[in-house]
Amino acid sequence: MKKGKLIILSAPSGSGKTTLVHHLLKQNDLNLSFSISATSREARGSEKDGEDYYFMNEVNFDKAVSNDDFIEWEEVYKGNKYGTLRSEVERIWAKGGNVIFDIDVVGGLNIKKQFPKEALAIFVKPPSLEVMEQRLRARKTDTEEKIQERVAKSSREMDYACSFDAILINDNLDIAKGDVINMVNDFLK
Ligand code: 5GP
C-alpha cells in the first residue's frame, strides 16, 4: 500500500486543538481524513459512534489491545482508555488520503517515533493554564473533578512541547488557523 502522510495535532486538553483539526479538515486541497480513535469512555453530548470515536466497552477495548489492533493506546485519564487503530490509518491510506490525528501528547510522540518521515507532529500550545481551565469550564461537559484532573495533566504535558516538530501558539484563533494551514501545506508539498 502506498503510504500517505500523517499530521498529528497534540495538546493539553482545552488548548483548542479540536477546533484547529476541524478547520484543517475543511481544506479540501490538503486531502486530510480524520483518524477516529477508539475509546472506552462514554459518549458525551452530541458525540456519535463511528464519527467522533469508536465507543467500545472496556472488555472489547482490552481484546483489541491483545489482538495488536492499536498503533498506540493509553489510559489517558483514570479508567478511560484511548487508542489509534491500525485499520484507521490503512483505511485512509488505501483511499489515497493523508491522516490527521487529534490525540494526546504521549500518543502523538509515539506515532511520530513509529513514522518519523511520514509524520508531522504539531504541539498546540494554549496561551496559559488559566485560559485552558476557562475553556474546559466553558465546554460544560465535565464535572469539577474531571476538570481538575485535566488541568493537572495539561500542566505536566506542557513540558513535552520541545519534542515536537513544531509548536503552534493558539493565542488568537484566527492567526492560529492560518499558521496551521501553512505548516501542513509546507509539509505536504
Ligand atoms: P476527550 O475525552 O476530551 O475526547 O479526549 C481526551 C484526550 O484523549 C484528548 O487529549 C484526546 O486528544 C486524547 N485522545 C483521543 N484519541 C486518542 C488516541 O487514540 N490516543 C491517545 N493517546 N490519545 C487520544
Side-chain angles (χ1 to χ4, degrees):
M1 186 199 312
K2 189 178 174 294
K3 286 183 181 174
K5 293 278 169 44
L6 306 171
I7 307 296
I8 303 161
L9 264 77
S10 289
S13 201
S15 63
K17 75 175 178 305
T18 304
T19 308
L20 293 168
V21 167
H22 287 146
H23 185 65
L24 284 168
L25 282 166
K26 283 191 210 141
Q27 318 302 314
N28 292 332
D29 54 322
L30 299 177
N31 193 19
L32 297 170
S33 289
F34 182 63
S35 163
I36 304 165
S37 295
T39 182
S40 68
R41 82 150 161 77
E42 303 269 311
R44 274 197 309 241
S46 62
E47 286 179 333
K48 287 200 184 73
D49 184 41
E51 228 171 83
D52 300 279
Y53 283 107
Y54 298 112
F55 293 99
M56 287 182 179
N57 60 34
E58 197 155 3
V59 173
N60 287 341
F61 194 101
D62 292 344
K63 265 190 208 152
V65 171
S66 316
N67 286 341
D68 196 28
D69 289 344
F70 291 114
I71 293 176
E72 63 77 39
W73 73 273
E74 265 183 277
E75 185 166 347
V76 176
Y77 296 108
K78 208 164 164 282
N80 290 340
K81 297 172 182 172
Y82 297 78
T84 302
L85 292 160
R86 239 170 259 292
S87 56
E88 271 300 283
V89 172
E90 286 166 5
R91 172 180 73 82
I92 295 166
W93 278 356
K95 61 173 191 177
N98 301 306
V99 189
I100 182 160
F101 300 89
D102 173 347
I103 69 177
D104 97 320
V105 167
V106 173
L109 289 176
N110 197 339
I111 292 183
K112 173 71 190 177
K113 213 161 122 193
Q114 296 180 56
F115 299 95
K117 289 216 181 73
E118 295 87 357
L120 171 69
I122 302 173
F123 184 93
V124 183
K125 200 170 181 175
S128 68
L129 283 173
E130 288 75 27
V131 169
M132 207 155 52
E133 190 168 344
Q134 279 164 20
R135 286 180 185 165
L136 286 175
R137 280 187 208 291
R139 223 158 63 170
K140 293 197 167 70
T141 51
D142 295 301
T143 60
E144 183 58 31
E145 191 192 347
K146 286 266 180 248
I147 290 172
Q148 289 311 325
E149 189 187 357
R150 281 171 190 256
V151 169
K153 180 170 183 281
S154 297
S155 148
R156 293 192 298 272
E157 286 178 334
M158 296 292 247
D159 297 340
Y160 287 93
C162 55
S163 306
F164 279 72
D165 296 320
I167 298 177
L168 178 77
I169 300 184
N170 187 9
D171 209 343
N172 173 309
L173 187 58
D174 286 330
I175 295 174
K177 280 178 173 173
D179 289 347
V180 80
I181 290 179
N182 290 339
M183 278 177 190
V184 174
N185 242 329
D186 284 348
F187 179 73
L188 295 179
K189 258 200 281 199

